[in-house]
Amino acid sequence: MKTNFIGVNNIKKNNEILITLIIIFFSFSLCSIGLRQRYGFILLGIITVFVGCKYCGTVINVSCLKKFVVFLFASLIIIYLIPSARYDIDTVSFFIYVFICVLTIIYSVTSYKEISKAFKIIELLGTIIALYITFFRIFPNLYFKLIYPFLSDGTAKMMLENSSVGYGAAIGQSYTFSDYFMMLGISSALGKNYQDIGKYNKKKVLIVILCSGILFEGRKGELLSTLLTLIFVSIIFCHPRKITYPKTKLMFWGIGILLAIVSIPIMYKKGLLYRFVLMLDRIQQKAYGMNVDFTSGRFTLWKNAISLFLSFPLLGAGWGRFANYTSGTFIEAVRNEPIKDVHNCFLQLLCETGLIGTLIILIPLFWIYKKTLLQTIRLKRNIRTCNKIIQMNIFALCMQTYFWILFFIDPVFYNPFYWCSFAIIIIIEDFALKEEKLLITNNSFQL
């Protein structure tokens, strides 16, 4: 039996903040051609405040999930107001970004129709990004003839430095933005794939295209996080004794393995796997006792962060102060880039906010993730009854898992793109929880 969405969330007119967030997240992040992401956040803030003033009596949503988001933001502000915090333009901008995204979450009133439309937009834009990266990774000369002349100075410089070491086409003066957006598309497609469990659909092909885009972008951490997320979610929803259409699935995996066997040597020969081969070479050299840091400087940063945490164990050295206690450069995406982050969110929170601040920040994030994971387990038991909620739930679970893994190797928490993604996740997961609660109230399924 299929789920009919008849709850108050569908009767009430939604304000389409979710769609607005996705479009602005995408369009204003394309600062490769000169647009600045801060203008996108300013516009999003204006729209959010306008919507909040217009619908203030009905729009402000104080659900349990959103209360934890408000608590998280309040905790960040309190920690930032401690005198030891660093007050430069970067940290101030960060808190403005977070504040706008939190407002967007609070004021959002959505519907299944809008979320369905949002998923289609995410998949479409993610596919465009993946094909763009893949095409110009295979034909780099065309990129420098057709695209390079129109890049902003910062992006042009970055492309010259990094194209020779295996990176794909930068989007929005960033390699992470494109990976985040493609992962949004993968999460949406994976949710749809499990929503239609037992049926053949085109979402599997879409997932392969998006994963290829992440592969050719050349970001090892993002690719690893993507693959681990896919494995984790697949294990949760695996029904080894209830495999439907086994011949179709066997054929799909057979074709996939055959294509991998054929394509990997070709990609290796053309240098499309350069960064991954380089990583394996460094690991091999390290195994033979050579003084090689295959983490591109991360081990040194992590060691410094641990020492700083031991010096300020309770309250930390102050928000953004890690940069004052370290020196050198981080040789990863941009060579000779001044160090500002630990490239491990947990260690950076520990050394800058101490044990107290870290727990205050991570507990609400963990609670939200736990809420999503528990809903996944419940929905799995009733996958036929509430299959339309499955896509929303898996989307939120995939993205949160993806970011939790990235927390170990990149400064994700301090990236404005993360907070845009976080806002999308919370809006959709909050709706999924409400719809599930409505089904329980109507006795549509039992826990």
Side-chain angles (χ1 to χ4, degrees):
M1 182 176 66
K2 301 234 177 181
T3 303
N4 294 318
F5 290 87
I6 57 175
V8 292
N9 290 315
N10 294 287
I11 297 173
K12 186 188 298 182
K13 185 177 180 180
N14 60 298
N15 50 37
E16 297 196 353
I17 284 182
L18 175 61
I19 296 293
T20 304
L21 171 62
I22 293 170
I23 297 300
I24 290 178
F25 178 23
F26 177 79
S27 59
F28 278 89
S29 296
L30 299 181
C31 50
S32 302
I33 54 176
L35 292 174
R36 301 296 297 274
Q37 65 189 40
R38 67 185 62 174
Y39 300 146
F41 278 97
I42 291 172
L43 179 59
L44 178 61
I46 293 172
I47 292 174
T48 302
V49 171
F50 170 77
V51 171
C53 292
K54 184 177 180 181
Y55 302 98
C56 60
T58 57
V59 170
I60 297 179
N61 193 319
V62 288
S63 65
C64 186
L65 196 66
K66 293 185 179 182
K67 284 180 181 177
F68 270 83
V69 175
V70 174
F71 174 78
L72 172 63
F73 179 69
S75 301
L76 287 172
I77 292 297
I78 293 172
I79 291 171
Y80 185 60
L81 292 178
I82 296 175
S84 59
R86 182 174 180 170
Y87 300 101
D88 59 3
I89 185 62
D90 289 334
T91 54
V92 172
S93 298
F94 169 80
F95 281 94
I96 293 174
Y97 295 154
V98 177
F99 176 66
I100 291 173
C101 288
V102 170
L103 274 183
T104 302
I105 292 170
I106 295 173
Y107 285 133
S108 174
V109 174
T110 190
S111 65
Y112 179 74
K113 182 178 180 181
E114 183 190 10
I115 291 177
S116 180
K117 185 192 301 183
F119 282 147
K120 292 179 181 178
I121 294 173
I122 288 172
E123 291 173 10
L124 174 62
L125 297 179
T127 303
I128 291 173
I129 292 175
L131 293 176
Y132 172 86
I133 291 171
T134 301
F135 179 81
F136 287 118
R137 189 74 176 85
I138 297 174
F139 304 103
N141 292 334
L142 285 178
Y143 178 84
F144 284 97
K145 287 182 181 179
L146 300 176
I147 307 298
Y148 184 80
F150 299 99
L151 300 179
S152 63
D153 293 340
T155 308
K157 180 181 178 181
M158 184 170 65
M159 281 302 303
L160 279 179
E161 290 180 340
N162 297 311
S163 61
S164 61
V165 291
Y167 277 96
I171 296 179
Q173 290 189 353
S174 170
Y175 294 103
T176 58
F177 160 72
S178 54
D179 286 331
Y180 290 2
F181 214 101
M182 285 185 285
M183 187 59 200
L184 287 171
I186 290 172
S187 301
S188 173
L190 192 65
K192 180 65 176 177
N193 180 58
Y194 282 112
Q195 175 191 327
D196 295 334
I197 192 166
K199 299 179 182 178
Y200 175 78
N201 58 67
K202 299 178 182 178
K203 297 300 179 181
K204 294 183 178 67
V205 178
L206 176 59
I207 292 172
V208 171
I209 293 174
L210 292 168
C211 287
S212 298
I214 294 176
L215 170 67
F216 290 126
E217 185 70 312
R219 297 282 293 177
K220 301 185 293 292
E222 280 76 1
L223 179 63
L224 176 63
S225 299
T226 300
L227 295 178
L228 291 178
T229 299
L230 290 173
I231 292 171
F232 176 73
V233 176
S234 298
I235 290 174
I236 290 179
F237 276 91
C238 181
H239 294 270
R241 296 182 180 180
K242 298 180 180 180
I243 299 178
T244 53
Y245 300 101
K247 292 183 179 180
T248 303
K249 291 186 177 181
L250 183 63
M251 182 179 68
F252 177 83
W253 283 108
I255 293 174
I257 294 173
L258 180 62
L259 288 175
I261 293 174
V262 173
S263 61
I264 287 177
I266 297 175
M267 290 189 291
Y268 173 79
K269 186 176 181 180
K270 290 185 174 293
L272 300 179
L273 303 177
Y274 175 81
R275 288 189 51 74
F276 307 100
V277 174
L278 180 63
M279 178 73 170
L280 293 175
D281 287 342
R282 288 176 177 175
I283 294 175
Q284 186 178 26
Q285 292 173 20
K286 187 70 174 179
Y288 284 112
M290 299 179 66
N291 187 21
V292 177
D293 186 354
F294 61 87
T295 65
S296 300
R298 282 181 174 84
F299 280 169
T300 302
L301 296 177
W302 297 348
K303 182 179 178 180
N304 292 344
I306 293 173
S307 299
L308 187 58
F309 165 65
L310 295 176
S311 300
F312 305 92
L314 292 180
L315 296 177
W319 187 277
R321 288 295 179 187
F322 174 74
N324 296 92
Y325 290 89
T326 189
S327 61
T329 57
F330 177 63
I331 48 172
E332 181 56 41
V334 180
R335 285 169 285 181
N336 300 321
E337 174 187 327
I339 292 175
K340 292 185 287 187
D341 299 300
V342 180
H343 287 264
N344 182 308
C345 295
F346 302 107
L347 291 179
Q348 184 156 352
L349 287 173
L350 282 171
C351 72
E352 292 186 348
T353 68
L355 187 61
I356 296 175
T358 301
L359 290 176
I360 292 175
I361 292 172
L362 291 183
I363 284 175
L365 287 176
F366 178 77
W367 185 91
I368 293 170
Y369 184 71
K370 178 183 176 183
K371 197 81 173 175
T372 308
L373 184 60
L374 290 177
Q375 188 190 32
T376 303
I377 296 172
R378 293 193 301 269
L379 295 179
K380 178 183 176 180
R381 299 171 187 161
N382 303 275
I383 196 167
R384 300 294 181 184
T385 303
C386 50
N387 63 345
K388 285 190 176 181
I389 309 178
I390 287 288
Q391 184 179 16
M392 295 181 282
N393 175 254
I394 292 182
F395 172 85
L397 180 66
C398 281
M399 289 307 302
Q400 289 181 75
T401 303
Y402 172 78
F403 284 127
W404 276 110
I405 297 172
L406 269 181
F407 273 14
F408 285 96
I409 51 180
D410 271 322
V412 182
F413 188 81
Y414 305 89
N415 191 328
F417 296 147
Y418 164 76
W419 288 97
C420 284
S421 304
F422 181 74
I424 296 170
I425 293 166
I426 296 299
I427 292 171
I428 293 176
E429 174 60 14
D430 183 64
F431 182 82
L433 288 169
K434 289 177 181 177
E435 290 299 328
E436 183 198 18
K437 185 177 180 180
L438 181 64
L439 286 178
I440 296 173
T441 303
N442 294 337
N443 295 318
S444 298
F445 72 93
Q446 301 294 325
L447 288 178

